């Protein structure tokens, strides 16, 4: 934030006055932050409609509609399978469930974050014409991308069945994992959306980070390709851990305690940033659009 | 009963141009004070300045003033879009802002679906929206067109639908930026009738307009805004007379 004490007021008739800003305490912001999220939750009808309108726009006048998502991930899965067996003659049962589940989960993270970079900007006409809680936009973005994600998961799940990935009670861990992933992505999207609305350069920064993170995260490569020294650090990549809590139960691999710890820590950290930030700035968002 | 109480309200816009919108500039500013001192100054525009108002049940208020006088800002403040930079704004009552009647509508969806969307945006539940839909459809006179995607409508038909939906609720406080109306001559007459009936039921109305005859027809009070300040507030003819005099003197 620019320093307010040095700010200058342009009055249309020449006199200069200091705008008096209402000062709020940290805990006041925390309270407002929670109230904002709560308000967003009670507006579920509105963000559900906003999210489904986005889906409709994407598939307007197409016969298959959202089924295209299922088809196109199917094609991607086939390509990866063909490529990997031709290039490395790798054991497909080793690599294919890992890669496909990981890839669509990554797409969920990346596209939610990408939508968030222009989230508030693209709804500016809503914000200036009637009061709307900014959290509505974030909920709608997460809703839309989650719907897409669940559709893209179909093909990878078929792959898992095809390669008869072991199913046990541990598979159920996918549900807490998914909850943790969705929650963290929500927080991340909210933080990203706020900074991107205020500082437009952040839009580019975020897009670059997301691109780099794709290569730095074990999605198309397995951690055991790395030397053991480096392998230990993979878990500290927050994206790698958040991916793993969903992917590993689905592909029948145990989720290590380190992965859970890092994921929970990421979620906690994001909450600690998001709540006071939202409480502090939610009233100002409309001025940034 | 609706009640609007503004006490010494300022609304100051921070102007985030390329200079102050970039993170780099703020970071640089923190590192090297001298280099970018100028950029660390946020410029504020005083859109509203020291505005105090007390609007009560039955008030029909017009807003006049030149472009940039703060009419739209005041309407947005009343709608809850802007919060005061300082001072207090207390607004009690169900507010409806007729500034964009198409919010929440989706050109790709059918007329019927749009009725539901828009009603939900106006605060209804899905059940209430479905209950309200037939009445809205009838008023819009769009008949079978309602089954078609809204993008196939002419702009007049689109506005008719938007008007029919937006005026199907009965708000306590109505805010308008210029008088609303829609459609051809025949529909316009029905629209005016409908508007008159919801205006009659509303507790407070605030209308910003440049057209004196419209203001005179709908408003008993007038607020004359000038450069973000209330220059004068009072009975219609009194304030309007003073406004005309000042305009002619310029």
């Amino acid at each position: 934030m620019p320093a307010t004490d040095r700010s200058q007021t342009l009055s249309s008739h020449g006199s200069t006055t200091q705008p008096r800003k209402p000062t709020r305490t940290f805990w006041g912001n925390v309270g407002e932050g929670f109230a904002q999220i709560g308000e967003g939750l009670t507006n579920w009808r509105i963000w559900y409609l906003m999210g489904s309108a986005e889906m409709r726009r994407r598939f307007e006048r197409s016969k298959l509609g959202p089924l295209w998502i299922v088809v196109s991930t199917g094609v991607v899965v086939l390509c990866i399978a063909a490529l990997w067996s031709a290039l490395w003659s790798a054991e497909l049962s080793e690599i294919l469930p890992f890669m496909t589940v990981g890839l669509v989960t990554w797409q969920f993270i990346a596209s939610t974050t990408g939508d968030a970079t222009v989230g508030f900007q693209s709804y500016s006409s809503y914000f200036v014409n009637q009061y709307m809680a900014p959290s509505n936009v974030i909920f709608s973005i997460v809703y839309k991308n989650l719907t897409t994600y669940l559709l893209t998961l179909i093909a990878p799940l078929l792959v898992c069945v095809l390669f008869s990935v072991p199913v046990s009670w541990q598979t159920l861990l996918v549900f807490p994992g998914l909850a943790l992933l969705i929650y963290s992505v929500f927080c991340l999207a909210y933080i990203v959306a706020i900074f991107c609305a205020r500082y437009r350069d952040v839009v580019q920064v975020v897009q670059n980070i997301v691109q780099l993170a794709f290569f730095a995260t074990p999605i198309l490569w397995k951690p055991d390709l790395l030397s053991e020294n480096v392998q230990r650090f993979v878990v500290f990549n927050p994206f790698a851990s958040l991916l793993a809590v969903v992917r590993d139960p689905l592909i029948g691999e145990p989720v290590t305690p380190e992965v859970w710890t890092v994921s929970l820590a990421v979620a906690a950290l994001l909450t600690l940033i998001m709540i006071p930030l939202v409480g502090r700035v939610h009233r100002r968002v409309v001025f940034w659009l | 009963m609706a009640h609007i109480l503004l006490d010494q309200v300022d609304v100051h816009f921070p102007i985030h141009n390329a200079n102050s919108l970039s993170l780099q500039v703020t970071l640089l500013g923190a590192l090297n004070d001298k280099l970018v001192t100028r950029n660390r100054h946020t410029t504020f525009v005083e859109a509203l300045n020291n505005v105090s108002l007390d609007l009560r049940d039955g008030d029909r208020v017009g807003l006049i003033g030149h472009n940039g006088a703060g009419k739209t800002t005041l309407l947005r403040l009343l709608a809850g879009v802007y919060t005061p930079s300082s001072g207090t704004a207390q607004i009690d009552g169900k507010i409806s802002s007729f500034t964009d009647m198409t919010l929440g509508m989706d050109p790709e969806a059918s007329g019927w679906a749009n009725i539901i969307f828009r009603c939900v945006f106006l605060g209804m539940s899905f059940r209430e929206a479905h209950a309200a839909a037939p009445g809205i459809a009838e008023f819009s006179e769009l008949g079978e067109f309602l089954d078609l995607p809204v993008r196939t409508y002419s702009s007049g038909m689109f506005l008719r639908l938007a008007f029919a939906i937006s005026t199907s609720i009965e708000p306590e406080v109505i805010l308008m930026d210029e008088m609303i109306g829609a459609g051809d001559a025949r529909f316009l007459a029905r629209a005016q009738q409908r508007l008159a009936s919801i205006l009659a039921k509303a507790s407070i109305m605030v209308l910003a307009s440049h057209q004196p005859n419209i203001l005179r027809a709908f408003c008993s009070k007038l607020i004359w805004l000038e450069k973000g300040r209330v220059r004068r507030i009072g009975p219609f003819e009194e304030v309007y007379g003073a406004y005309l005099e000042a305009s002619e003197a310029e």
Side-chain angles (χ1 to χ4, degrees):
Chain A
M1 291 296 103
T4 40
D5 51 326
R6 311 173 76 218
S7 53
Q8 175 187 54
T9 302
L10 260 197
S11 159
S12 21
H13 18 167
S15 72
T16 304
T17 52
Q18 297 292 337
R20 288 149 288 162
K21 286 261 163 107
T23 45
R24 241 189 279 118
T25 62
F26 175 78
W27 290 112
N29 284 335
V30 168
E32 281 230 19
F34 278 115
Q36 266 293 298
I37 308 290
E39 192 180 340
L41 280 173
T42 60
N43 287 340
W44 62 272
R45 293 183 191 91
I46 289 178
W47 51 258
Y48 157 73
L49 286 179
M50 284 159 62
S52 33
E54 279 297 315
M55 286 291 260
R56 231 187 343 267
R57 257 190 286 286
R58 182 166 162 199
F59 296 106
E60 62 189 54
R61 287 177 250 174
S62 87
K63 277 248 156 52
L64 285 184
L67 274 183
W68 270 116
I69 298 172
V70 182
V71 173
S72 50
T73 28
V75 172
V76 170
V77 167
L78 286 178
C79 288
I80 294 178
L83 193 69
W84 246 249
S85 56
L87 275 182
W88 313 101
S89 54
E91 189 63 54
L92 277 184
S93 64
E94 274 284 298
I95 199 88
L96 207 53
F98 176 89
M99 270 195 219
T100 52
V101 175
L103 189 64
V104 297
T105 308
W106 172 258
Q107 277 169 352
F108 169 60
I109 301 176
S111 67
T112 311
T113 318
D115 285 355
T117 58
V118 289
F120 294 140
Q121 293 91 307
S122 57
Y123 284 103
S124 60
S125 70
Y126 288 67
F127 283 109
V128 298
N129 279 296
Q130 65 179 49
Y131 168 73
M132 182 167 86
S135 55
N136 284 358
V137 172
I138 309 302
F139 278 109
S140 83
I141 288 174
V142 172
Y143 166 77
K144 175 202 141 197
N145 285 291
L146 183 62
T147 320
T148 312
Y149 174 44
L150 296 178
L151 287 169
T152 56
L153 257 182
I154 293 175
L157 288 181
L158 285 177
V159 168
C160 291
V161 173
L162 206 68
F163 289 100
S164 46
V165 157
V167 176
S168 68
W169 65 268
Q170 286 204 0
T171 313
L172 292 178
L173 282 177
V174 70
F175 294 108
L178 204 53
L180 197 55
L181 173 71
I182 295 167
Y183 175 76
S184 306
V185 165
F186 173 86
C187 297
L188 182 66
Y190 212 151
I191 296 167
V192 163
I194 287 173
F195 278 100
C196 287
R198 177 64 183 79
Y199 302 102
R200 298 298 163 91
D201 301 66
V202 177
V203 178
Q204 310 299 325
V205 174
V206 169
Q207 283 166 2
N208 280 305
I209 292 177
V210 169
Q211 242 167 30
L212 286 177
F214 174 71
F215 293 108
T217 306
I219 302 164
L220 293 182
W221 48 274
K222 285 192 119 179
D224 48 26
L225 282 172
L226 301 171
S227 70
E228 265 180 42
N229 282 338
V230 188
Q231 247 181 67
R232 272 182 287 152
F233 293 104
V234 167
V235 72
F236 294 110
N237 172 353
F239 292 119
S241 288
L242 281 173
L243 265 180
V245 290
V246 176
R247 179 188 55 203
D248 291 357
L250 282 178
I251 62 172
E253 280 183 23
V255 186
T256 62
E258 290 84 38
V259 163
W260 280 115
T261 314
V262 172
S263 304
L264 283 168
V266 168
L269 186 68
L270 287 171
T271 312
L272 281 179
I273 300 171
M274 174 186 72
I275 295 289
L277 180 69
V278 167
R280 191 177 147 84
V281 304
H282 72 97
R283 281 310 208 162
R284 297 186 211 158
V285 167
V286 66
F287 291 117
W288 299 340
L289 301 176
Chain B
M1 287 296 116
H3 185 202
I4 294 171
L5 190 63
L6 304 186
D7 184 26
Q8 298 185 313
V9 167
D10 293 349
V11 174
H12 295 169
F13 282 85
I15 300 300
H16 297 301
N17 49 22
N19 281 344
S20 57
L21 261 180
S22 93
L23 177 66
Q24 178 200 352
V25 165
T26 312
L27 288 179
L28 275 181
L31 293 174
N32 186 338
D33 217 78
K34 262 189 184 158
L35 192 71
V36 279
T37 342
R38 225 177 352 163
N39 293 332
R40 285 188 64 191
H41 286 230
T42 306
T43 307
F44 284 86
V45 166
E46 298 183 348
L48 285 181
N49 228 325
N50 202 15
V51 171
S52 296
L53 280 183
D54 186 358
L55 303 182
R56 289 168 184 278
D57 184 41
D59 275 345
R60 299 288 178 267
V61 188
L63 298 179
I64 50 167
H66 298 304
N67 291 330
K71 302 188 294 293
T72 304
T73 309
L74 180 55
L75 285 177
R76 287 180 180 171
L77 175 80
L78 297 179
V81 168
Y82 297 150
T83 34
S85 318
S86 70
T88 54
Q90 192 194 333
I91 295 141
D92 304 317
K94 210 172 120 225
I95 302 158
S96 199
S97 186
F98 290 157
T99 48
D100 186 347
M101 294 191 293
T102 63
L103 274 192
M105 290 176 75
D106 180 357
E108 280 304 320
S110 73
W112 285 110
N114 270 290
I115 293 178
I116 306 300
F117 298 166
R118 181 82 186 112
C119 284
V120 168
F121 266 85
L122 290 170
M124 293 186 199
S125 68
F126 284 108
R127 187 172 300 176
E128 288 164 341
H130 280 285
I136 293 168
E138 198 193 321
F139 185 81
S140 75
E141 293 183 332
L142 287 170
E144 288 177 355
F145 280 106
L146 287 171
D147 295 320
L148 296 179
V150 165
R151 74 181 144 78
T152 62
Y153 292 14
S154 71
S155 56
M157 288 160 69
F158 181 61
L159 270 180
R160 241 157 73 179
L161 182 61
F163 180 90
I165 305 167
S166 299
T167 56
S168 67
I169 52 165
E170 291 179 352
E172 292 172 289
V173 180
I174 295 180
L175 308 173
M176 283 185 285
D177 207 345
E178 291 300 340
M179 187 39 89
I180 52 171
D184 49 29
R186 198 178 71 87
F187 189 82
L188 194 60
R190 294 180 59 230
Q192 280 168 345
Q193 206 179 5
R194 168 112 143 196
L195 194 59
S197 104
I198 66 165
L199 284 178
K201 286 177 199 155
S203 175
I204 297 175
M205 183 206 65
V206 183
L207 164 66
S209 179
H210 287 289
Q211 289 168 279
N213 46 344
I214 285 192
L215 286 169
R216 187 174 275 120
F218 287 94
C219 307
S220 53
K221 257 188 178 177
L222 213 51
I223 298 173
W224 171 12
L225 287 171
E226 194 179 68
K227 295 170 181 167
R229 290 170 191 272
V230 176
R231 170 92 181 250
R232 197 155 173 181
I233 177 168
F236 184 92
E237 292 303 339
E238 191 185 306
V239 178
Y240 188 65
Y243 173 71
L244 270 191
E245 231 168 80
S247 301
E248 278 160 16
E250 270 168 24

